[in-house]
Amino acid sequence: MFGFESALVLSAVMGTLLLAGFVKGISGMGMQVVAMGVLSVVMPPAQAAAILVVPSTVTNLWQLFTGPAFGALVRRLWAMMVAICVGTWLGFGALAGSNAKLAAFILGAVLVLYALLGLVKVRFRVPPEKEWWLSPVIGFVTGLLTGATGVFAIPAVPYLNALGLGKDELVQSLGLSFTISTLALSLALFIQGAFGMQVAGASLLALLPAMLGMLAGEWMRVRVSEQGFRQLFLVGLLLLGAYTVIKNLPGHP
């Protein structure tokens, strides 16, 4: 059902995963955002999300277990992680079936929001006494958007940035959030029959360019201005999101 017999589609998938892995390697995030944004132009979002299961899982686990504070972060963020799962499963309906056009529209809007927040450098701070109720709320909204779009950056990334974590803890907390989001979305895709053996094989194949891109990005990180690259990345993401929104407006062919 994914048309992998088409050399054009296969080339698009491999090229996109190479680019998305490079972005993650150089900036520490953004692989899912880039891959979903580009692939949704050539295929329904549910198909794109299914292809990304293996690359996302492996790269996010890598990021999660290379940090110093796994146990402490789990104890601190467990309610957010549970809420991500619940929200993902409730929001998944928009990603599948006849809602594909709506899902693509929402995805474009999320890409635009993500890019704008990064470009204007919005900074939030969350007082520790508010975490107990705000964490599950943020997790639930993140889950809804994950289920609807396949992208799990908003509002989790700005929220985790607002907790005042150290650099290594922040990277690891992002890995934790991304891993839980990926696993929750993967389960929903599997239950809906969107992640069968054929798709699993394609997803495994997509791991190779994702890892090559990630390694290349890590190599490039020390040789270029990360801030300059990130600005260029966000502008490109803004344009891609705007195009996706316009393409999927109600009444647009």
Side-chain angles (χ1 to χ4, degrees), residues 22-31 63 171 174 178 221 226:
F22 181 79
V23 170
K24 186 176 181 69
I26 203 170
S27 66
M29 64 181 71
M31 188 179 84
Q63 183 173 338
V171 171
L174 291 170
F178 296 164
R221 184 189 299 172
E226 181 178 342

Side-chain angles (χ1 to χ4, degrees), residues 53 57 61 85 88-89 152 177-189:
V53 166
T57 301
L61 284 172
C85 293
T88 298
W89 298 328
F152 32 74
S177 177
F178 296 164
T179 298
I180 295 299
S181 297
T182 300
L183 294 176
L185 183 59
S186 301
L187 180 59
L189 289 165

Side-chain angles (χ1 to χ4, degrees), residues 2-251:
F2 285 82
F4 291 114
E5 70 280 1
S6 167
L8 181 61
V9 173
L10 184 59
S11 298
V13 170
M14 297 298 107
T16 297
L17 266 295
L18 186 66
L19 172 63
F22 181 79
V23 170
K24 186 176 181 69
I26 203 170
S27 66
M29 64 181 71
M31 188 179 84
Q32 191 83 5
V33 177
V34 172
M36 284 297 300
V38 175
L39 291 180
S40 67
V41 175
V42 297
M43 63 180 65
Q47 296 180 3
I51 291 171
L52 293 173
V53 166
V54 174
S56 292
T57 301
V58 172
T59 56
N60 290 331
L61 284 172
W62 183 333
Q63 183 173 338
L64 172 60
F65 289 114
T66 54
F70 174 74
L73 288 172
V74 170
R75 289 190 294 273
R76 182 174 182 178
L77 299 172
W78 69 268
M80 179 180 173
M81 301 303 110
V82 171
I84 284 175
C85 293
V86 174
T88 298
W89 298 328
L90 289 177
F92 182 71
L95 190 65
S98 60
N99 295 312
K101 193 173 182 68
L102 172 61
F105 177 85
I106 298 173
L107 171 60
V110 171
L111 295 180
V112 169
L113 177 60
Y114 181 92
L116 288 175
L117 287 174
L119 288 170
V120 301
K121 299 180 180 179
V122 174
R123 293 290 182 268
F124 303 101
R125 284 291 176 266
V126 176
E129 64 272 13
K130 294 185 178 180
E131 283 187 46
W132 70 271
W133 66 267
L134 194 52
S135 281
V137 171
I138 294 295
F140 184 71
V141 175
T142 298
L144 286 176
L145 290 174
T146 298
T149 69
V151 173
F152 32 74
I154 300 293
V157 171
Y159 175 74
L160 292 171
N161 268 292
L163 294 182
L165 299 169
K167 181 180 179 181
D168 291 338
E169 288 181 317
L170 175 59
V171 171
Q172 193 171 23
S173 71
L174 291 170
L176 175 62
S177 177
F178 296 164
T179 298
I180 295 299
S181 297
T182 300
L183 294 176
L185 183 59
S186 301
L187 180 59
L189 289 165
F190 178 77
I191 291 173
Q192 291 291 324
F195 191 69
M197 290 300 295
Q198 181 185 12
V199 183
S203 185
L204 184 62
L205 182 64
L207 176 62
L208 178 60
M211 292 303 298
L212 288 175
M214 188 171 177
L215 292 172
E218 290 176 347
W219 179 85
M220 185 65 71
R221 184 189 299 172
V222 298
R223 292 167 172 81
V224 300
S225 166
E226 181 178 342
Q227 183 61 30
F229 174 85
R230 184 164 176 76
Q231 292 295 105
L232 183 62
F233 158 63
L234 289 170
V235 170
L237 204 62
L238 179 63
L239 295 175
L240 178 62
Y243 170 78
T244 305
V245 167
I246 295 170
K247 181 183 177 184
N248 292 281
L249 283 171

